[in-house]
Amino acid sequence: MTTLILDAFGTLIEKRPRRTNPYSRLADAAGGEILLPFLTRNEPISVLANELNVGFLAPYLEREIKTEIDSFLLYPDVRRTLLEWRGRGLQIAVCSNIAYEYCTAVRDLLPMVSHFIFSCEIGAAKPNPEIYATACRVLKCRPRDALFIGDSKRADYDGPRAFGIKARLINRGQGELLAHCFPGNY
Protein backbone atom coordinates (compact mmCIF):
# COMPACT_ATOMS: atom_id res chain seq x y z
CA MET A 1 0.00 0.00 0.00
CA THR A 2 1.42 3.36 -1.01
CA THR A 3 -1.53 5.72 -0.50
CA LEU A 4 -2.83 7.15 2.75
CA ILE A 5 -5.99 9.26 2.98
CA LEU A 6 -6.41 11.08 6.27
CA ASP A 7 -9.26 12.93 7.92
CA ALA A 8 -8.38 16.39 9.27
CA PHE A 9 -10.20 17.21 12.54
CA GLY A 10 -9.81 14.70 15.35
CA THR A 11 -7.13 12.88 13.36
CA LEU A 12 -4.48 15.46 12.44
CA ILE A 13 -5.86 18.64 13.97
CA GLU A 14 -6.98 18.83 17.58
CA LYS A 15 -10.65 19.45 18.10
CA ARG A 16 -10.71 22.24 20.61
CA PRO A 17 -13.85 22.52 22.69
CA ARG A 18 -16.13 24.86 20.79
CA ARG A 19 -17.67 27.69 22.71
CA THR A 20 -19.98 28.28 19.77
CA ASN A 21 -20.63 26.70 16.39
CA PRO A 22 -21.11 29.43 13.77
CA TYR A 23 -22.84 27.09 11.33
CA SER A 24 -25.27 25.79 13.95
CA ARG A 25 -25.98 29.38 14.94
CA LEU A 26 -26.69 30.23 11.28
CA ALA A 27 -28.96 27.19 10.89
CA ASP A 28 -30.84 28.11 14.07
CA ALA A 29 -31.27 31.71 12.91
CA ALA A 30 -32.60 30.46 9.57
CA GLY A 31 -35.05 28.17 11.37
CA GLY A 32 -33.78 24.68 10.71
CA GLU A 33 -31.24 21.92 10.39
CA ILE A 34 -29.30 22.85 7.26
CA LEU A 35 -25.70 22.06 8.20
CA LEU A 36 -24.85 19.68 5.34
CA PRO A 37 -25.18 22.38 2.65
CA PHE A 38 -22.52 24.35 4.51
CA LEU A 39 -20.16 21.41 4.10
CA THR A 40 -20.90 20.98 0.40
CA ARG A 41 -20.89 24.58 -0.83
CA ASN A 42 -17.69 26.41 -1.66
CA GLU A 43 -18.89 29.78 -0.44
CA PRO A 44 -18.26 31.91 2.63
CA ILE A 45 -20.71 32.00 5.48
CA SER A 46 -21.68 35.57 4.55
CA VAL A 47 -23.12 34.36 1.22
CA LEU A 48 -25.03 31.60 2.96
CA ALA A 49 -26.31 34.02 5.61
CA ASN A 50 -27.55 36.40 2.92
CA GLU A 51 -29.30 33.56 1.08
CA LEU A 52 -31.04 32.60 4.34
CA ASN A 53 -32.09 36.21 4.96
CA VAL A 54 -29.93 36.57 8.07
CA GLY A 55 -27.05 38.48 6.50
CA PHE A 56 -26.94 40.80 9.50
CA LEU A 57 -25.33 37.91 11.43
CA ALA A 58 -22.42 37.52 9.00
CA PRO A 59 -19.87 39.80 10.76
CA TYR A 60 -20.50 38.09 14.10
CA LEU A 61 -20.26 34.60 12.54
CA GLU A 62 -17.06 35.53 10.69
CA ARG A 63 -15.47 36.62 14.01
CA GLU A 64 -16.47 33.30 15.59
CA ILE A 65 -14.91 31.42 12.67
CA LYS A 66 -11.68 33.41 12.96
CA THR A 67 -11.49 32.64 16.69
CA GLU A 68 -11.98 28.96 15.90
CA ILE A 69 -9.31 28.96 13.19
CA ASP A 70 -6.84 30.70 15.50
CA SER A 71 -7.23 27.79 17.95
CA PHE A 72 -6.36 25.04 15.42
CA LEU A 73 -3.30 22.98 16.38
CA LEU A 74 -1.77 19.85 14.94
CA TYR A 75 -1.52 16.93 17.32
CA PRO A 76 2.12 16.82 18.50
CA ASP A 77 2.96 13.64 16.54
CA VAL A 78 1.49 14.68 13.19
CA ARG A 79 4.28 16.69 11.53
CA ARG A 80 6.98 14.14 12.31
CA THR A 81 4.82 11.17 11.29
CA LEU A 82 3.69 12.72 7.99
CA LEU A 83 7.25 13.68 7.09
CA GLU A 84 8.43 10.16 7.89
CA TRP A 85 5.68 8.61 5.78
CA ARG A 86 6.43 10.96 2.91
CA GLY A 87 10.10 10.05 3.18
CA ARG A 88 9.11 6.39 2.81
CA GLY A 89 7.48 7.26 -0.52
CA LEU A 90 3.89 7.13 0.67
CA GLN A 91 1.38 9.31 -1.13
CA ILE A 92 -0.66 11.28 1.42
CA ALA A 93 -3.92 13.19 1.08
CA VAL A 94 -6.31 14.86 3.48
CA CYS A 95 -10.00 14.16 2.87
CA SER A 96 -12.35 16.06 5.16
CA ASN A 97 -15.87 17.32 5.59
CA ILE A 98 -15.11 20.98 5.95
CA ALA A 99 -16.75 24.37 5.40
CA TYR A 100 -15.24 26.94 3.04
CA GLU A 101 -13.66 29.16 5.70
CA TYR A 102 -11.50 26.38 7.13
CA CYS A 103 -9.82 25.17 3.92
CA THR A 104 -6.92 27.63 3.85
CA ALA A 105 -6.16 27.13 7.54
CA VAL A 106 -6.01 23.34 7.14
CA ARG A 107 -3.76 23.62 4.08
CA ASP A 108 -1.48 26.06 5.94
CA LEU A 109 -1.17 23.70 8.92
CA LEU A 110 -0.24 20.77 6.67
CA PRO A 111 2.31 21.95 4.09
CA MET A 112 3.79 18.45 3.93
CA VAL A 113 0.57 17.16 2.35
CA SER A 114 0.21 17.65 -1.39
CA HIS A 115 -3.44 16.67 -1.95
CA PHE A 116 -6.57 17.95 -0.24
CA ILE A 117 -10.09 16.72 -0.93
CA PHE A 118 -12.56 18.94 0.89
CA SER A 119 -16.31 18.40 0.90
CA CYS A 120 -17.07 22.06 0.21
CA GLU A 121 -14.82 22.07 -2.86
CA ILE A 122 -16.27 18.93 -4.48
CA GLY A 123 -19.91 19.20 -3.38
CA ALA A 124 -20.07 15.87 -1.56
CA ALA A 125 -19.52 15.03 2.10
CA LYS A 126 -18.40 11.80 3.73
CA PRO A 127 -19.83 9.15 3.71
CA ASN A 128 -21.08 9.95 0.18
CA PRO A 129 -19.08 7.64 -2.12
CA GLU A 130 -18.29 10.58 -4.43
CA ILE A 131 -15.78 12.03 -1.97
CA TYR A 132 -13.87 8.74 -1.82
CA ALA A 133 -14.02 8.40 -5.61
CA THR A 134 -12.62 11.91 -5.94
CA ALA A 135 -9.80 11.08 -3.53
CA CYS A 136 -8.86 8.01 -5.57
CA ARG A 137 -9.01 10.01 -8.84
CA VAL A 138 -6.84 12.79 -7.41
CA LEU A 139 -4.35 10.27 -6.05
CA LYS A 140 -4.52 8.09 -9.17
CA CYS A 141 -4.98 4.96 -7.06
CA ARG A 142 -7.39 2.08 -6.88
CA PRO A 143 -9.52 1.99 -3.72
CA ARG A 144 -7.94 -1.31 -2.63
CA ASP A 145 -4.49 0.33 -2.70
CA ALA A 146 -5.40 3.03 -0.18
CA LEU A 147 -5.83 3.23 3.59
CA PHE A 148 -8.18 5.81 5.13
CA ILE A 149 -7.38 6.93 8.68
CA GLY A 150 -9.86 8.98 10.67
CA ASP A 151 -11.82 9.30 13.89
CA SER A 152 -15.42 8.90 12.71
CA LYS A 153 -16.80 5.37 12.36
CA ARG A 154 -19.45 6.42 9.84
CA ALA A 155 -17.42 8.84 7.70
CA ASP A 156 -13.85 7.57 8.06
CA TYR A 157 -14.34 3.83 8.50
CA ASP A 158 -17.71 2.59 7.23
CA GLY A 159 -17.82 4.97 4.23
CA PRO A 160 -14.34 4.18 2.87
CA ARG A 161 -14.77 0.43 3.44
CA ALA A 162 -18.09 0.43 1.56
CA PHE A 163 -16.20 2.06 -1.33
CA GLY A 164 -13.42 -0.54 -1.21
CA ILE A 165 -10.79 1.48 0.68
CA LYS A 166 -9.14 -0.09 3.72
CA ALA A 167 -9.85 1.93 6.83
CA ARG A 168 -8.51 2.41 10.33
CA LEU A 169 -9.99 4.44 13.19
CA ILE A 170 -7.73 6.50 15.42
CA ASN A 171 -8.75 7.17 19.01
CA ARG A 172 -6.96 10.34 20.07
CA GLY A 173 -8.96 10.40 23.30
CA GLN A 174 -7.18 7.20 24.32
CA GLY A 175 -3.79 8.66 23.38
CA GLU A 176 -3.41 6.74 20.13
CA LEU A 177 -0.71 8.11 17.84
CA LEU A 178 -0.96 8.47 14.08
CA ALA A 179 2.07 6.22 13.55
CA HIS A 180 0.19 3.37 15.27
CA CYS A 181 -2.40 3.38 12.48
CA PHE A 182 0.05 2.32 9.73
CA PRO A 183 1.61 0.02 8.76
CA GLY A 184 -0.68 -2.82 9.60
CA ASN A 185 -3.04 -5.34 8.16
CA TYR A 186 -6.49 -3.89 7.68
Side-chain angles (χ1 to χ4, degrees), residues 57-170:
L57 286 176
Y60 179 73
L61 299 171
E62 288 167 344
R63 281 192 302 276
E64 284 185 345
I65 288 169
K66 182 179 180 334
T67 298
E68 248 188 327
I69 289 170
D70 289 345
S71 76
F72 291 173
L73 290 173
L74 292 182
Y75 284 99
D77 64 315
V78 167
R79 186 173 316 281
R80 176 183 38 78
T81 301
L82 293 180
L83 289 171
E84 178 185 321
W85 286 348
R86 226 178 61 184
R88 290 170 48 190
L90 296 170
Q91 185 171 219
I92 302 169
V94 169
C95 178
S96 191
N97 288 349
I98 192 171
Y100 170 85
E101 280 83 5
Y102 305 105
C103 294
T104 298
V106 170
R107 283 185 173 101
D108 289 349
L109 278 172
L110 296 162
M112 71 292 290
V113 174
S114 53
H115 302 288
F116 294 87
I117 300 91
F118 292 142
S119 61
C120 66
E121 294 177 345
I122 68 159
K126 300 180 295 184
N128 182 324
E130 182 56 32
I131 197 165
Y132 310 115
T134 300
C136 289
R137 275 194 305 275
V138 166
L139 295 163
K140 297 179 177 86
C141 74
R142 296 176 299 191
R144 70 176 185 230
D145 296 330
L147 173 65
F148 199 110
I149 301 171
D151 68 317
S152 164
K153 184 172 183 325
R154 182 172 176 257
D156 303 329
Y157 186 81
D158 294 341
R161 287 178 54 89
F163 189 74
I165 297 172
K166 295 169 196 74
R168 173 72 162 73
L169 288 175
I170 187 169

